[in-house]
Amino acid sequence: MRSVFESIIGFLTTGIAGSEFTPLRLLLVITLISALVWVTRRLTTWFVDRVLARRGVDVGLREALGAMLRYGIITLGGLVILQSAGINLTSLNVLVGAVGVGLGFGLQNVTSNFFSGLIILFERPIKIGQRIEIAGAVGEVREIAARATTLVTDENVAVIVPNSQFIAEPVTNWSRPNVLTGYVLTFHVAPASDPELVRRVLLAAAAAHADVRGEPAAEVEFVEIGPASLSFRLQVWSNVHLKTAGRLKSDLNFDVWKRLKAEGVAPPTAAIAVTMSPSSVS
């Protein structure tokens, strides 16, 4: 039994590949780094949720400062742990070079997403809690991590978007300092319809909706005279339906359809076609 114990101690204290770095030191480094990550996570959570939140700092800025603090502490703490364990950091130049080559080839996407995440945290084109649209996905920003950003859609589905997409692709940010948002709906009616009557019907439907703002006032544009239909655009403004645009669209569609039918305005060959798009104002 004693010989087995002495063998284990000898293995743990014997240098790896003839160096002074032993398996015991390796276990110690892994343990300390794991503890560093755990403590850093708890510390940044306390800093963000207690210190910054009590001072009224914007939630997006809180998350950005927390992430930068976390990365900084882990980096500096990791260097201190490695140096204290007897690892000469200057001897890792070859390893760092090899890792750099790997980052340039096999881990190119990961590296791009990481630095894109840093750009997002520093420039803050999007923030936690904002409603955005990217690559066909619309949702609220819930988390901006090192590799990807999490959006939660109206259906409560989490969409994971790589950070590099926010740098390389167009992003629609529906959330502005002033949450007033404009919505444009397009209607098509039969070519024999009275344009002034259609205009009055659309404005009446907008005025009757409780969540449509009176200022700015709703506007109707006579867009096109076609052989099969007349096209109109109705623009309304609301600060309520930012997260439920579909409900506002549905309400207006029902009301407009009912009013047009009551006035005897016929749809084109197909049913009345309606499209809707948002546009935010500061």
Side-chain angles (χ1 to χ4, degrees):
M1 185 68 181
R2 181 180 180 84
S3 60
V4 174
F5 180 75
E6 290 176 349
S7 299
I8 295 175
I9 295 299
F11 170 76
L12 293 176
T13 56
T14 300
I16 299 176
S19 66
E20 296 182 358
F21 193 67
T22 64
L24 183 60
R25 287 186 179 181
L26 178 61
L27 291 175
L28 180 61
V29 168
I30 294 174
T31 302
L32 290 177
I33 290 179
S34 300
L36 173 66
V37 172
W38 183 83
V39 171
T40 302
R41 183 176 302 163
R42 298 293 297 270
L43 177 62
T44 53
T45 299
W46 171 83
F47 178 69
V48 169
D49 295 341
R50 298 291 183 86
V51 179
L52 296 181
R54 288 181 177 178
R55 284 165 173 75
V57 179
D58 175 74
V59 62
L61 181 58
R62 294 204 305 262
E63 294 295 332
L65 293 175
M68 288 185 285
L69 178 64
R70 181 166 59 253
Y71 297 152
I73 293 178
I74 290 177
T75 300
L76 294 177
L79 293 176
V80 171
I81 290 174
L82 293 176
Q83 191 73 44
S84 301
I87 300 177
N88 186 2
L89 298 180
T90 59
S91 65
L92 298 179
N93 290 337
V94 176
L95 177 61
V96 172
V99 172
V101 173
L103 292 176
F105 291 96
L107 300 178
Q108 184 176 7
N109 289 337
V110 175
T111 306
S112 175
N113 289 325
F114 175 76
F115 284 104
S116 297
L118 293 180
I119 292 174
I120 293 173
L121 290 175
F122 277 106
E123 292 188 356
R124 302 177 66 210
I126 61 173
K127 305 174 185 178
I128 303 294
Q130 287 188 334
R131 183 175 178 81
I132 66 171
E133 178 178 358
I134 180 172
V138 181
E140 180 181 335
V141 179
R142 290 291 179 86
E143 181 184 9
I144 302 176
R147 188 194 64 83
T149 295
T150 302
L151 307 181
V152 177
T153 67
D154 296 338
E155 295 77 22
N156 202 30
V157 176
V159 179
I160 311 300
V161 182
N163 288 329
S164 58
Q165 288 191 232
F166 291 96
I167 306 301
E169 298 184 11
V171 179
T172 301
N173 191 335
W174 289 20
S175 301
R176 305 294 295 171
N178 176 343
V179 295
L180 183 63
T181 302
Y183 299 91
V184 178
L185 297 89
T186 302
F187 297 88
H188 305 278
V189 297
S193 303
D194 180 1
E196 284 297 330
L197 176 59
V198 175
R199 179 177 181 273
R200 291 196 299 270
V201 166
L202 296 181
L203 291 177
H209 198 291
D211 294 332
V212 172
R213 293 284 296 269
E215 183 63 35
E219 296 181 357
V220 175
E221 295 182 5
F222 192 172
V223 179
E224 183 180 5
I225 303 176
S229 67
L230 305 181
S231 300
F232 297 84
R233 284 200 188 106
L234 170 65
Q235 182 168 26
V236 298
W237 301 88
S238 176
N239 58 354
V240 176
H241 284 273
L242 183 61
K243 296 183 180 181
T244 55
R247 185 184 307 167
L248 177 60
K249 172 183 175 180
S250 177
D251 291 346
L252 290 174
N253 285 350
F254 275 117
D255 197 15
V256 168
W257 180 272
K258 181 177 66 175
R259 291 173 183 270
L260 288 176
K261 188 175 181 180
E263 294 290 347
V265 178
T269 305
I272 294 180
V274 182
T275 59
M276 178 175 179
S277 61
S279 57
S280 300
V281 293
S282 300

